[in-house]
Every structure is written in C-alpha cells, then in structure tokens.
Amino acid sequence: MLAEEDDVPSLIETDATATAPEVKTGIAAGSTVPLTIICGFLGAGKSTLVKRILTERHGYRIAVIMNEFGDTADIEAKTINVSSADDPTAQSEEFLELANGCLCCSIKDSGAAAIERLMQRKGAFDHILLETTGLADPGPIASMFWQNEEFAMGLGRDIHLDGVVCVVDAVFGRKQMEEDHAADGIGESLRQIAGSDVILLNKVDIPPPEEVEVTEGMIRGVNPAASIFRTVRGQIDLKLILGIDAYAAKPFAKLSEPETGSHTCDDQHCGHNHERGLTHYEMRGITSLQIDCPTLTASQLSRLDEWIRTILWENHLPEDESNPNILEILRCKGVFVVGDGKLYILQGVRNMYEIAEVEGAVDSATGVPDAGKLVLIGKGLDEHVRRSLQVLLE
Amino acid sequence: MSAAAVSCQSSTCPNGHPPSRLECPTCHKLGIQGSFFCGQECFKANCRINVVFGPSTVVLMLLLDGTFNPFGAHRFTGTVRPVYPLSPKREVPAHITRPDYAEDGIPTSESRKAGQPPRVLSPEEQEKMRTVCRLSREVLDIAASHIRPGITTDEIDAIVHNATIERNAYPSPLNYRGFPKSVCTSVNEVICHGIPDKRKLQEGDIVNIAADVSLYYDGYHGDLNETYPVGRVDDDVKKVMRTAHQCLHEAIKLCKPGALFRDLGKTIEPIARANGCAVVRTYCGHGINDLFHGAPNVPHYAKNRAVGTMKPGMTFTIEPMINLGHNWDLDHWPDDWTAVTVDGKPSAQFEETLLITETGVEILTAGKRRDDLYS
C-alpha cells in the first residue's frame, strides 16, 4: 500500500516518555538463576534422576538442558519446536513443557550465551540443570559458567554457577575408576569425581555393602571436599543437590578426613606410604591434599595467593620451575583466618580461582573455623607440594 | 527515566536536529519507535513508503532515498538507527594472504588454541607485530582524517578497506564470524561492533572507529580503536571520551612483567566511577598475535577472575568501553552485532595493542597525541 506524497499525514504530538525503554539498572543480589551441572557415565543413573526431576511434583521450576532428548519420549509433555532465527530449517532448540512446571530443552550450543538467550525467552525459573554427555569433564564447563557469572549478558536473566553433581554407579564405579583411560593418564570418571561438589553413589542396593564401602572410600580419597550420598534409583532430596552454593565465598562444612591404616593392602607390590596425611588412593595420578592452616598475616595471605596462582596457572611450584606440567590442579577450596579477624574463602576450578573475603555475618551452622584449611585435588600432589606450602605457612 | 523528547530524525534537517515531541502517526500506530521530526517539512522530506510484507507482519518502511531501517519494530534504546541497505561485500585482491575465517567466517585456529596460555612471541614475531600495528595505526589515522558531518559510516568503511588493501593487508573484521564489513563504526550510544551503513555522521556525534582496523599481514593481527568527536560535541560527551582515554592509559602504565591481568580493572573502574561513568563488562581485551582473539582474556572491571601473569613477549589489547552514567549493561540490535547502552546514553572506547618487554610495555599501535582529549 503506497502512500502518495499528498497523503502524508500530519505529525501528532506524543508523550516521548512512553517510548523510553525500561532500563534495568543492574542485577539485585540473589536474583540470578543458579545453574547446576550434572555429569556421570551412561548407565550410572543420571537419566533416571533427570527424569524424576522432570516428572515429580517437587515444586521447583527447573529448566533441564540436555544435548538431546534421549529417552524422554515417554514423559508426558507438550513439545514446542523453536527454530533458529538465522536458519528456519535448522532446529537449534526444542522445548518440552512438562506437566510439573519444569522445562526440558535440548540445544546444540551449550555455551553460556546460548543458555542465557534461552532463559530470556522462556521466562522465570528457579534453577537450571545442565546435563553433560557421559564422558564429559565438568571442570572446563564449570569454569566457563563461573567466569560468565561476572558478565551481564544484556537484559537477560543472569546465571550463576551453583555446583557440579556427579552420579557414580556403585556396581561398576570402582572398575571404571581403576580402568578407564584418557590421553593424559587421568581417567574420565576420575575427572568427573574430582570436579564435583556432590556425588551420588547410585544403585547401592545391588552390590554387597563392603563393596559399596570401598567404592565410597575411593571417591573420598580423590575428592574429600564433595558430599557423598548413597542413593537407590536416583532418589535424593533435591535440596541436597540444588541450591548448594558450592562456589560461593562462604565457609563450608567440615571436609572428610582421608582414610588411613584401616584398610588392607592386597597388592603385594604396594610401595606407597601409609604415613598420615598421604592418601592411599593414588589412582592413576589423581590425589587430594588437605592441609591445616594457622591464622595468617596479611602478607602471608598475599604470598599464599601467589603460591596458588603459580600452581594453577604455571603448573609448577614457585620454587621449582624445572618440571612444568607435572602438577595439574582440577579443583581447590580453602578457608583462611587472617590475623585481623577476617575470613577468606578460596574457590577454584581448573586455572580459574578467587580468594574472596567473606562478607556479612558468618552462618552459625558452620561457624568461624578455629583454623584455616586448604584442599587441592589433582595430579602430582606429592610431598614436595605439601612441604612447599608448609614453609609458606610457618 | 524519561526522555524529554527525541531529536528530529530527518537527515536533511535544517534546524540542527532539535528535540521534538512530534511523531509520525502511522509509526505510532504500528508500534515503530522513534519516528520523530521537528516539523512537517522534515517529515515530508523523509516521507515513507509503507511496505507491509505478507503474513510475517514485517513492516518495512522505505525512505524516498531508498534507505530503510530493517528492524522497524525493535525497541531502540537511543536515537541511532541502522540505515540499510548495506553496501555490497568488498573484495580483497587475490594476492593478499587471508586468515582462516575469510572464506567461511569461522576462526578455526582460535578454537584449536582455546584453553592454552597466552603465547610468548619470539623477537622475529614481535617485529612482525610492530609492523602490522604500525600499519593499523596508519589506516586508522587516514580514516579519522575523513570524519566530518555528512560522511556515512559506509564511506569510512570504504576508506579503511582501501587503505588496508593498499598496504597488502587483510582487514581483520571482514567476515570474522560473519561480520559483513572491514571496520566497526560505533556512534553515540553504540558501545562497539557497529556495522558501517548509510547513516550520515551528524555534528555532535561521537564515533568510534575500531580499525579494530586490524590488519592480517604476514600472518599477524593488529588491533586498535579511537573515539572521535564529529564537529562540536556536548560537555558530557567530551567527558565520556576523555574518561575512556584516561582509563586505557592508566591501565597501560601498570603493564610490565609480573603484573596480573586481573589487576587492570582495579585501576580502570575507579577512574570511570569518579567521572560518573560505568565500565562495560561483557566485552574484554584479548591476546592478539597470529590469532585475532586469543588468551588472555582482559576484563576492564574490578574484582574479576582473569587468569594470567604478564610475561615479556606477550601481546594483547586493553580496550575499555565506558558508558556515561551508571549503567554498564548493554543490549544488542537484531543484527546480532551492534551493542548499545541500555539507556541510550553515549559510550566511548579506546584501544591499543601492547607488547610486554623485559622491563615494561611497548604500545605497538601508538599514535600522535590527541590534543582534543586534553584540556
């Protein structure tokens, strides 16, 4: 419909305020959506858990993001296909709106930006669950989301990393931990356990109890900082895996002590050291190191920061540049008491870390620790590392 | 937050684009924002031919000169609008070496190197960076010399493109992840990645030319940008320009072996705040060498988790984007490139490529002092 020049209408006077767009002046504290990464080998029971989340009336509105829908075909849901704006023939996103208010989406690009765009379109959720494929290492994914929470992606809802959950098969888990292979010598199941904050040891009703004990002990040895729950058919109270604040600058509960002495060594060639402080579980190179820290001076904290960043970024101890890449830290956590009474929390995944002052009132449940503590999980954590840190803390 | 009025949208306005409350009634009815004119004459001079396309309810309004806004229904945050059609894709002579993304837009080499620490360049490689950065600076200065009211950002793109290929170099932005032009031109509230089009620069605008005039020459990229005033600009516009410039140069003073990338923001943010401005968080500085964008990631805001310690031989950019006012947040146009402030207030940026030396830092893209940025 073409308008002739004669037909040009008269301008109307408008209140220009009506057209000024609403401006978001920043994200209020606590209003960002928590994101949990869930990993685990195929068959461990991850899908069962996810299916429960999508079907039970738990009252949470959770958006579950998977690479593909897999066996959700039998879930009662309304399918919504959303095609990409750039290429209408390619389906880049697909949604299932579930009866219990949850949402299930599969997207090809599980990068932070794509997920944020998704959330922008679909509205308010209490939580986002990102399911990774069976062999995936959650570390780099966690590090990406932990970095991204610093950025504000336009006017979309912002996401913060809540934690990493791993489902381990109580039947095959031990074998997987012992045998699985990866290019650099650290097995995928070990990487998953090392990078997780909550571990669900699932199908504990099937193997004999002693076997379950051994498997749980092995998991603890690799990752003493994670909470471990024994589950059957993926049944777990959701508040134990969602809303755990695993990356927050908040003091955390007591860490588990490494097992010592109470086991029997079957291997005749057992040449490892049973000294207190060294874990027995040098499974294919992954160990954990826990060190108690006295109250620190401000300058010690600063040197500690330098020590941490050297081992995380340069992969060697500050005093030993000769052997790079022996050290590989997958996860680190710590709480430090500084002489002036302040509390500092260390959080780190892969080479990304932060030592942040604890703000506000300390949660009385966990309380102010009398002493600081540092946990490192990774490869090459031998006595040199422990001694190097002890020298610093003296 | 309310705008008192919107400036006259006529490109031929004889009254200097005064603010007006007079709106096109058709646009108002269709929900198309921002069609304001200071009077009936300006309105008629730019009168529209309404073209409604079929079932998809896209309303495309063609101005008499053949230009149009392809995103008529979008809620623009300020007064800048895209002025399409974009000019045809510019050719690069066959003898010029192209980066891997020139064909398909995908920077494969960058993905392959993802996760690796920043490269330390050999003396020969550092010399290549010096060359490409010097050429980048030449191209930017040539483009800047053409800034005047009336020139379109597309014409600036042509100048950059031609100056680049004259130097036997490839304009790095061209087809990088599908970017359609050879330079980014960001006017007023556009923070970065503005696409050159047929919009004429107006007196009072500020324009950032990102020669991200990056030249891919001899296998290496150079990257720099500056924000320039178009004619006389308002005081607060001058302020945001000077603040961005100061942020960059104070951050450069911190650069030396052993300095941490995460500390740069601690210097930049207080300067912005002290001047009533905000630091954009979404886009960061980056490593640059044989890759256009690589490690390290260089945030410009305080309290960040950036990884890495500066070492001699590392080359990277610092490129703070500073918004007037307290909003650091941004919005994107439907072209998936143009980033704008959420409140329509102006944003300024300056960028240099840096080399860490044994004792400090060398600004590889250094140019002459901009007297207009100092009182």
Side-chain angles (χ1 to χ4, degrees), chain A residues 1-5 8-27 86 120 145-155 158 247 305 309 313-314 351-354 359, chain B residues 1-6 21-26 28 33 36-37 39-40 43-44 47 49-50 75-77 260 262 281-282 284 297 301 303-309 311 326-330 336 342-343:
Chain A
M1 186 179 75
L2 298 177
E4 299 289 328
E5 214 190 18
V8 172
S10 300
L11 293 168
I12 55 170
E13 179 145 356
T14 310
D15 175 10
T17 60
T19 62
E22 212 183 276
V23 177
K24 272 201 184 168
T25 51
I27 310 300
D86 309 320
Q120 238 175 310
F145 281 102
W146 199 39
Q147 176 181 36
N148 263 78
E149 76 184 44
E150 307 186 291
F151 305 155
M153 306 295 276
L155 296 174
D158 292 309
Y247 279 79
D305 189 292
R309 69 177 180 256
W313 296 353
E314 319 282 341
N351 63 359
M352 187 169 297
Y353 80 97
E354 183 175 67
E359 314 236 358
Chain B
M1 305 246 355
S2 58
V6 181
R21 303 176 96 99
L22 300 172
E23 188 183 11
C24 167
T26 312
H28 183 86
Q33 320 267 348
F36 288 81
F37 300 90
Q40 203 67 16
F43 184 28
K44 260 198 229 167
C47 191
I49 301 167
N50 293 358
R75 285 214 108 156
F76 288 93
T77 61
L260 304 181
R262 73 181 183 210
R281 301 169 74 85
T282 311
C284 301
N297 189 51
Y301 49 91
K303 286 204 218 154
N304 64 74
R305 299 179 193 125
V307 172
T309 310
K311 293 196 178 69
H326 59 268
N327 284 315
W328 41 259
D329 213 347
L330 52 76
D336 282 337
V342 293
D343 55 10

